[in-house]
Amino acid sequence: TLCQALDMLDEDAGKLYGEMDMPAVVQMMTSGQARQEIFKLDEYLKSSYAWSIVLDASASMRVKGEYGRALAICVAEAANELLKDPASWSFFAFSDKLHVLKYTSEAYSRRVRARIGGLEFRGLTYMPDALHVAGEMLSERFDEQKFVVVLSDGWPYGYKGMPIALSESITAL
């Protein structure tokens, strides 16, 4: 809603305050005609966003499986509502395997919801690798703002040295 409000904001062309447009001021002074169009207009440009949502589907999340699934669906629904272009976001789940729940080329549909609902929580936590893949995919996009949303319990299940590898992956983003 906030993005839509910013995009719909109209600037009053005859405003009486703001930053002066110096060429317009000089033209007004030399012509001797009083005008109010000497202030620069504020321009609100629509930012382009790209999201990559990454869900931890490792065995450590099995305890919170239904909660994790519900959270994943809530975040996917929010992304679908906020980012009107289906190509601007993707959704992955990771364990020791990478599951593509929604790729940028497909719409958010019942099939995507079914993939989220049918996801099984098992395997090891390879969060640094998942962040690396998500970062690589986002780096190929030309959007102004790029976000990686991680849904995880943060438990490094079966990954020795994960804090160091995770720090390196985040720094590389």
Side-chain angles (χ1 to χ4, degrees):
T1 303
L2 182 59
C3 288
Q4 289 174 349
L6 287 175
D7 288 342
M8 292 181 196
L9 184 62
D10 280 335
E11 183 66 30
D12 181 17
K15 68 180 185 177
L16 300 173
Y17 55 89
E19 184 180 345
M20 283 196 250
D21 184 7
M22 292 314 282
V25 171
V26 170
Q27 186 179 16
M28 182 194 72
M29 297 295 283
T30 57
S31 69
Q33 295 176 343
R35 318 187 327 206
Q36 292 181 346
E37 298 97 29
I38 61 168
F39 297 100
K40 289 184 180 178
L41 297 178
D42 295 330
E43 294 182 18
Y44 292 92
L45 300 176
K46 181 179 178 182
S47 296
S48 57
Y49 297 94
W51 283 19
S52 186
I53 304 168
V54 181
L55 172 67
D56 182 354
S58 66
S60 66
M61 286 284 287
R62 192 176 314 150
V63 175
K64 300 173 182 156
E66 289 307 313
Y67 177 73
R69 231 182 245 105
L71 183 61
I73 289 173
C74 287
V75 170
E77 292 287 336
N80 189 48
E81 288 296 316
L82 183 61
L83 307 169
K84 296 298 183 187
D85 180 15
S88 64
W89 66 284
S90 57
F91 197 170
F92 304 99
F94 69 93
S95 55
D96 47 3
K97 297 179 181 177
L98 183 70
H99 306 276
V100 178
L101 301 175
K102 183 204 170 291
Y103 197 69
T104 54
S105 62
E106 67 180 319
Y108 183 64
S109 62
R110 281 192 274 175
R111 179 175 286 180
V112 173
R113 289 182 188 96
R115 287 184 205 138
I116 297 169
L119 190 64
E120 294 183 16
F121 295 95
R122 60 178 158 191
L124 307 175
T125 304
Y126 282 16
M127 187 182 301
D129 301 329
L131 286 177
H132 178 74
V133 170
E136 286 293 319
M137 295 192 75
L138 283 176
S139 70
E140 295 173 1
R141 298 192 51 93
F142 296 105
D143 298 284
E144 294 172 26
Q145 298 183 12
K146 301 170 188 176
F147 299 97
V148 176
V149 179
V150 179
L151 306 172
S152 175
D153 59 355
W155 184 255
Y157 186 72
Y159 197 122
K160 291 183 180 179
M162 183 176 151
I164 295 167
L166 185 59
S167 176
E168 291 171 356
S169 291
I170 291 172
T171 304
L173 287 176

